[in-house]
Each structure stands twice: as C-alpha cells, then as structure tokens.
C-alpha cells in the first residue's frame, strides 16, 4: 500500500505524478490527453434531495475538479473507467449500501476511489482493502488520487491541517443552488454518532472568505444559497466569531430585489440558545427562508443525557417557541431516533407527546443503529421488534398531521429552482420553505413568481402562476400594486400555516449518502437541465400552452384597465400547427372522396 505523499518522493524531471498544480493552471494542463470516464452515480438514487449538506458540497467540488481536468462525468457504470464513491454515514444500512457498491465495482474489475466519512472514520474496514481513499478534508486533491489509481496505484490521503479552498472548480447538480460549507467537524460528542470520528473538531471558514464566495455565486446566477455544516450554530467558535456575525455579513451581500435566497443549515439547540433573538431577526429578513432544522432526537431528558446531546427538552422547546413567536411564518424541522439504548415506554411516550404538541411539518424518524466504535454501540439495546413498532407508531402519528389545510386560495411569493420528479411540474418554495408545485415552461427555473395556491397535498401544495417577478422590488413598490407586500423588505409574504416538505430535510452526518462518480474522455458541460423524460416534456409543453393562454388573458384584462391595447386572440405555435394539420387532413379526405366518386361515376356511364 502506498501513501500519496510517498509517491511524491524522488520524482524525476517535471511534475511528479502526485504534484498538486494551482487551480488556475490545472484547468488547462494536458486537457487534450484527458482521459477517462468517471461515473457519478448516487446509490441512494436522488442526489438533489440528499440529506447530508456536507456530502453534497464535497461531491460538487470533486465533480468540478475532475471536469476541469477534462474528465467526463457519467452515470453509466459500465462505460466508466473508474468509479468514485462519496460516502457519509452514521448508520449501518448506509454503510451496507456502500459495501454493496464496492463489491459490485470489484467484481466489474474497475479502479475504485472511496471518499467521505466512511473511510475517514473507519479506515481499517476490510471492505476498503485494495481501495484508494480520499479524506473529507482532501477533496481538493481528488484529481491526484484518481490519476494515480488509474495508473494502478493504491492511494490513501486522509490527513490534513487546513480546510480546502472555497473557490475550487465546482459542478452544481442544480445550477441555481449553491451548497456552501461554512465549517466542518463539530464540538459535540454524541454517543451514537461518528461525525467527530470522520470530520474531526470544529474548523470554520473565515467570514471574509464566505462573503467572497457568496459574491461570486450570486454573479454566477445562483438563486439559493444553502449554508452547509455538521452544526451551523457552532460556526466561528474556533476563530472568535459567531453565527449572527456571519449571517449579517452574508445577508448584506444578497440582492435587494429578493432574487437570491439564503437557507440556514441544521443547528443543534445548545449553540443557538444564546443567539435566539438575533437569529430570529435574520430569519425574518425577506431574503432568508423562515426555516430552520433543529434536531431534538428524543422527547426524554434521560435519553438526551444518554445521547450526550448537551441540552434538555425544555431548551429545545424554548428554541422552537421563541422562533415561532418572533418570526412570521416560521417553520421548523426536526429529527427523532426511535429505540435508543435504554429507551423505555415512558421515554417514548414523552417523544410522542412532543411531536403531538408541535405538529411540526417536517420530522425525520429513524431507528437506532449502533455504529462500531461509538459509546452507544456498547450500550444495552432495545429489542428490534420494539424499535420497529415505535418507529411505525410515530410515523403514523406524524403522517396524520394536515399542515397545509387552509392554504387554498392564498397568494404566495415563491422561488422556482427545480423540476419535480413527475417531469411535469416545477418546484418552488415559499418564504417559509413550503414546497409548491406549479406548471410552467422550464424558462421559469431560477425566477421568483407570485402564485395562487389551488390545492394541497400531504407533502406539498399546488399553485397557479399569477405573475413572474422580473422587476426590481423598489420599482414594484413604487407602482403600488397589490403584490407589493410580498416585496417590501419590511414585510414578509408567507403563510402563517404550517408547512411540510419532509423529503427536503437537510441534516448533518446523521443521515447517509453514497455516490459513484465516473470519468470519460468526451468533453461535457455538466449541470445543464435536461427534460426528465419525453412524456413529461410533452405534458409540460402542452400544459404550458394553456397556462400561457391564461396568463395572456390576465395581461389583456390588466392592459384594458390601464387603457392599453393588445391582440385578444393571439395563438401559440402549437395551436397553429394543430389547425394546419386538421385543415390538411380535411382537404385530403375531400380530395379522396371526390376521386372515388368520379371513378365510380365514369364506370357507371
């Protein structure tokens, strides 16, 4: 086995194989000689809704560097010259998924690189024998590891004392969303978690470096910035600043027209308690989503103590109550672990009561799984049947909530950044981060719009686009139109009803994700939007035409009120094509009929 640092020793003339070139130079180095296919595939199927913000950001940075060096990123495992699996795990099922991928790759005789929390926190796993490894703080050197692995070397790169740069090349899975890591590691020592093992002690990026990154991504056209961290609330404690200082600096960089929104990442209760009012003020800002993920894990103080969570249920309640009171339309997500060692029926009942009290619209419910090397793995376990029963019971209770009731007919401002999995709808979010599905052309991606909520579902609501906001907030306010309250920086346009979007939870390493990256010779620009499927595309186009007709009617009505003139019956291209086709068919039928009649007539005579 070789360490990459050993590969640097005694190199001949020129740059040795593992030499790390500056990014500006690296982009063009030997590009025409590159290279191979690398497959970029998520073993948990949906990269964009992954629960681990840190892992998503790492994946995008690695993809960017590989792409900048001329590698082709592919989801086709068979055509790949190398597989790269990015992992983040605190749970056994997720590590099992990784093990399956590794076995599949080895059986296919493909070169393999494994990155992320699993190899960093459990480098002695037998499954990792013969596999190259990139540590969580070494993602800026992924190209070196890939190239050495393709040469047949086994490389392990795990130790680092400085944070990777924020300005590395990056391929965003969603070009409108920037996942911005503000710190790595954590200050906690939860007895069930391996985050500390994998990502180490807290390491925060400076305020200036993060402000600079925000300026850059806004100039790139990003419309949502997700702050990513194992624990956002702990930010800055290692460098003498705190989260409110950072957030105020970042908010000052956001466009005043509300075209780019900030989403604050997961924060544990201990580190937000002392800044509650300041955080509430920031969450009330019109360019910040009124949404926060605050994991509680259990409703029992006894279990929280066994977990070493460093807060009480009362303190969690204080966080939730204060934010709901001070932030209009505030929405909070949380996590629950069922069946932690020592959990009694009484402990579980306290958790049930907590969830019933708040009826939070987003609750991620998981079963306890012991992680090797953690204190909880040595504790006396609750029967697996009991754990499953409690998980099912709590899930049933949570799914009985109807948080969207009463939203029908409401007017909301949303930010549209994605295509729904059905291939027909676009996905937007309200100020409170309620997921709204609308019909419209893909050109609406990256825009903000005013919608009317037409119907509700369990996990999202549906709306009709009334107006696409293309003008500056100030000019809209000066116009004094009926939507100005949604744009006024001193007012919040959002529903006071509860929201839900359980599939959009973003937590720390408490969840798991494994990805495979593939590399290929052909040049490709990753991150471009492609229609999900032909059927969805056709459905969306046809529905879009109907929507455009409705929108034109609204515009005509508005223009008439203002004394302007418009063409009242403008047809869209598809309608014209259909009409021409119908007329052509009709004339063809008549011609055939006349021909047959003429032939029969002459035969009769």
């Amino acid at each position: 086995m070789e360490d990459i640092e050993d590969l640097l020793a005694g190199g001949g003339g020129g740059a040795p194989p593992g030499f790390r070139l500056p990014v500006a130079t690296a982009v063009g180095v030997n590009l025409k000689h590159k290279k191979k296919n690398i497959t970029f595939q998520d073993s948990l199927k949906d990269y964009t809704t992954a629960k681990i913000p840190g892992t998503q950001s790492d994946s995008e940075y690695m993809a960017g560097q590989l792409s900048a060096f001329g590698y082709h990123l592919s989801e086709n495992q068979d055509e790949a010259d190398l597989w790269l699996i990015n992992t983040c795990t605190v749970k056994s099922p997720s590590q099992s998924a990784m093990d399956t991928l590794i076995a599949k790759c080895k059986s296919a005789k493909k070169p393999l690189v494994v990155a992320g929390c699993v190899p960093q926190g459990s480098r002695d796993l037998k499954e990792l024998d013969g596999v190259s490894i990139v540590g969580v703080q070494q993602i800026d050197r992924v190209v070196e590891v890939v190239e050495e692995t393709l040469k047949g070397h086994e490389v392990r790169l795990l130790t680092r004392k400085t944070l990777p740069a924020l300005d590395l090349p990056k391929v965003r899975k969603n070009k409108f969303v920037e996942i911005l890591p503000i710190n790595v590691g954590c200050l906690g020592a939860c007895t069930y978690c391996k985050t500390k093992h994998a990502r180490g002690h807290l390491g925060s990026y400076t305020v200036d470096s993060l402000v600079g990154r925000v300026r850059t991504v806004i100039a790139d056209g990003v419309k949502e910035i997700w702050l990513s961290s194992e624990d956002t609330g702990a930010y800055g404690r290692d460098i003498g600043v705190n989260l409110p200082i950072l957030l105020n600096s970042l908010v000052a960089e956001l466009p005043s027209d509300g075209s780019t929104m900030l989403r604050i990442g997961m924060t544990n209760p201990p580190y937000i308690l002392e800044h509650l009012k300041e955080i509430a003020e920031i969450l009330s800002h019109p360019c910040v989503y009124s949404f926060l993920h605050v994991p509680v894990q259990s409703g029992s103080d006894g279990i929280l103590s066994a977990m070493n969570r460093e807060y009480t249920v009362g303190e969690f309640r204080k966080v939730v109550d204060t934010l709901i009171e001070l932030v209009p339309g505030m929405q909070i997500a949380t996590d629950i672990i069922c069946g932690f060692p020592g959990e009694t029926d009484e402990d579980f009942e306290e958790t049930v009561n907590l969830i019933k009290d708040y009826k939070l619209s987003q609750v991620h419910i998981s079963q306890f799984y012991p992680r090797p090397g953690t204190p909880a793995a040595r504790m006396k376990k609750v029967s697996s049947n009991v754990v499953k029963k409690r998980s099912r019971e709590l899930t049933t209770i949570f799914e009985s909530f109807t948080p969207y009731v009463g939203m029908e007919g409401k007017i909301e401002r949303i930010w549209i950044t994605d295509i729904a999995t059905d291939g027909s709808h676009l996905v937007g979010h309200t100020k409170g981060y309620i997921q709204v599905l609308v019909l419209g052309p893909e050109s609406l991606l990256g825009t903000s719009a005013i919608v009317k909520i037409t119907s509700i579902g369990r996990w999202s609501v549906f709306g009709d686009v009334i107006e696409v906001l293309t003008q500056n907030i100030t000019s809209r306010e000066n116009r004094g139109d009926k939507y100005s309250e949604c744009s006024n920086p001193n007012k919040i346009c959002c529903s006071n009803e509860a929201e839900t979007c359980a599939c959009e939870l973003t937590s720390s390493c408490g969840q798991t994700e494994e990805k495979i990256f593939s590399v290929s010779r052909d040049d490709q620009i990753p991150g471009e939007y492609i229609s999900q499927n032909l059927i969805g595309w056709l459905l969306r186009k046809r529905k879009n035409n109907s929507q455009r007709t409705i929108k034109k009617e609204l515009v005509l009505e508005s223009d008439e009120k203002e004394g302007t003139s418009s063409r009242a019956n403008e047809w869209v291209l598809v309608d014209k094509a259909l009409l021409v086709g119908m007329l052509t068919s009709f004339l063809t039928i008549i011609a055939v009929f006349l021909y047959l009649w003429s032939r029969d007539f002459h035969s009769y005579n």
Side-chain angles (χ1 to χ4, degrees), residues 573-584:
L573 180 61
V574 172
D575 294 324
K576 291 179 180 179
L578 288 173
L579 181 59
V580 170
M582 291 171 63
L583 288 173
T584 302

Side-chain angles (χ1 to χ4, degrees), residues 89-96 122 191-194 337-341 367-382 384 387:
T89 180
V90 182
K91 298 182 180 179
S92 294
S94 302
Q95 185 166 319
S96 297
S122 305
T191 56
Y192 57 85
C193 184
K194 294 200 73 171
I337 297 175
C338 291
F340 188 82
Q367 300 174 24
F368 172 76
Y369 291 98
R371 300 299 295 124
T374 62
R378 298 188 295 270
M379 298 178 182
K380 185 177 180 180
K381 300 175 182 59
V382 177
S384 60
V387 174

Side-chain angles (χ1 to χ4, degrees), residues 91 192 296-299 303 307 335-344 347-349 351-352 355 363-370 381-398:
K91 298 182 180 179
Y192 57 85
V296 64
Q297 305 298 7
S298 175
I303 295 301
M307 291 178 172
D335 298 344
I336 295 291
I337 297 175
C338 291
F340 188 82
E343 184 184 67
T344 65
D347 293 325
F348 177 67
E349 190 62 28
T351 298
V352 169
I355 298 303
V363 180
H364 180 262
I365 301 165
S366 62
Q367 300 174 24
F368 172 76
Y369 291 98
K381 300 175 182 59
V382 177
S383 165
S384 60
N385 290 334
V386 172
V387 174
K388 291 176 182 178
K389 177 177 177 294
R390 289 174 181 173
S391 176
R392 286 194 296 266
E393 179 182 341
L394 191 59
T395 300
T396 299
I397 291 170
F398 165 66

Side-chain angles (χ1 to χ4, degrees), residues 70 72 81 126 134 149 202 230-231 249 252-253 285 319 362 390 412 423 477 502 508:
H72 173 245
D81 296 290
K126 65 178 182 179
V134 182
T149 303
L202 181 69
E230 280 72 52
D231 188 352
S249 298
E253 300 297 326
H285 190 281
V319 170
Q362 296 190 31
R390 289 174 181 173
E412 300 279 354
E477 285 175 358
S508 69

Side-chain angles (χ1 to χ4, degrees), residues 43-44 92-102 514:
S43 67
L44 298 186
S92 294
S94 302
Q95 185 166 319
S96 297
M98 182 206 72
D99 296 343
T100 300
L101 283 172
I102 291 176
E514 287 88 31

Side-chain angles (χ1 to χ4, degrees), residues 438-475:
V438 298
L439 290 170
E442 290 183 28
S443 59
L444 288 180
L445 289 168
T447 68
S448 181
I450 302 298
V451 301
K452 181 177 181 180
I453 305 303
T454 56
S455 62
I456 64 171
R458 177 57 185 88
W459 310 111
S460 56
V461 301
F462 296 83
D464 286 340
V465 175
I466 296 175
E467 180 181 2
V468 179
L469 301 181
T470 56
Q471 296 183 345
N472 183 279
I473 277 183
T474 304
S475 64

Side-chain angles (χ1 to χ4, degrees), residues 153-172:
H153 297 130
E154 179 186 333
V155 178
R156 294 203 164 196
L157 192 59
L158 294 167
T159 305
R160 187 192 183 103
K161 295 182 179 179
T162 59
L163 297 173
L166 290 171
D167 60 353
L168 295 170
K170 191 173 190 179
V171 174
R172 298 185 188 93

